[in-house]
Amino acid sequence: MADSLHRCAWCGTDPLYVAYHDEEWGVPEYDARALWEKLVLDGFQAGLAWITILRKREGMRDAFDGFDPEIIARYGEADIQRLLGDARIIRSRAKIKSAIKGAQIWLEMRDSGEDFSAWLWSFVGGAPIQNQLMAGEPWPTQSPDSVALAKALKKRGFTFCGPVIVYAFMQAVGMVNDHVSDCFRHGPVRAMGGR
């Protein structure tokens, strides 16, 4: 029997994309380490399709020591070379160095008593923005909130975090509910947001 659930059109029919849409995309994430991982993955997506990242995500998690900032922050040239030779990941020196620098910044924030999750969520008032998108209408690619967050991330030293990348990150981690109104996930994700 065919799946008759109505979904956001962007996920198409690829089983990996559909599962991501149905189980992860838009679900509010508050864990600081998980948020950092998703920000790194969105940075690796720059110039690529998200499905490429999904297909490489498990290999990237393995290659990047489970995205543990404590370990990644100490990566040196030998680690960069190891990663550049690993076909399971996006092999970009600039993006790898960005992940290392991001881990260092994440640790600096944590060690100074600043919660990465609370800081990120402060850009949307601590709760998800609930959009009411209709199928077929233009999809937002950035917002005033993503512009502000991108600027703040860059000021702290993060890279690969322009307003469009940051908006995609905000959608992915549930800071913005951009499931179209008639998608079967819109209501459940809205309920998770509490507003």
Side-chain angles (χ1 to χ4, degrees):
M1 182 172 162
D3 183 349
S4 63
L5 295 172
H6 183 77
R7 295 180 172 86
C8 301
W10 63 260
C11 71
T13 58
D14 183 297
L16 189 60
Y17 236 172
V18 170
Y20 174 72
H21 170 274
D22 291 0
E23 299 163 20
E24 292 183 60
W25 194 71
V27 173
E29 177 62 72
Y30 295 98
D31 178 80
R33 203 231 31 95
L35 285 164
W36 178 73
E37 175 183 339
K38 288 185 177 188
L39 185 63
V40 170
L41 290 172
D42 270 301
F44 269 94
Q45 181 201 350
L48 303 169
W50 182 245
I51 192 67
T52 303
I53 301 301
L54 288 179
R55 289 179 179 141
K56 291 187 175 277
R57 182 165 59 171
E58 290 310 313
M60 291 180 73
R61 283 179 173 153
D62 184 51
F64 280 90
D65 292 295
F67 286 102
D68 183 337
E70 296 271 359
I71 298 171
I72 296 172
R74 297 190 306 268
Y75 279 4
E77 186 58 34
D79 296 293
I80 293 171
Q81 289 302 317
R82 170 183 59 82
L83 291 166
L84 286 170
D86 193 331
R88 299 174 300 162
I89 74 163
I90 306 301
R91 293 180 285 183
S92 160
R93 176 178 284 275
K95 291 175 181 181
I96 291 167
K97 289 179 81 171
S98 176
I100 296 166
K101 178 66 175 168
Q104 294 165 349
I105 297 165
W106 188 91
L107 290 173
E108 288 167 10
M109 291 177 72
R110 185 202 63 190
D111 293 347
S112 68
E114 191 168 12
D115 181 80
F116 188 64
S117 176
W119 180 74
L120 289 173
W121 278 93
S122 73
F123 286 85
V124 292
I129 294 168
Q130 302 294 337
N131 286 334
Q132 296 293 322
L133 302 173
M134 301 302 293
E137 80 178 272
W139 208 280
T141 58
Q142 60 181 301
S143 69
D145 295 323
S146 77
V147 170
L149 179 52
K151 184 176 179 181
L153 285 162
K154 287 179 182 178
K155 185 175 180 182
R156 287 185 179 265
F158 288 96
T159 54
F160 290 97
C161 57
V164 174
I165 289 172
V166 169
Y167 192 75
F169 164 77
M170 293 170 74
Q171 291 172 310
V173 300
M175 294 172 75
V176 177
N177 180 3
D178 270 351
H179 283 282
V180 292
S181 297
D182 59 349
C183 173
F184 86 101
R185 290 293 290 156
H186 181 83
V189 167
R190 181 183 184 90
M192 292 176 203
R195 87 173 190 191

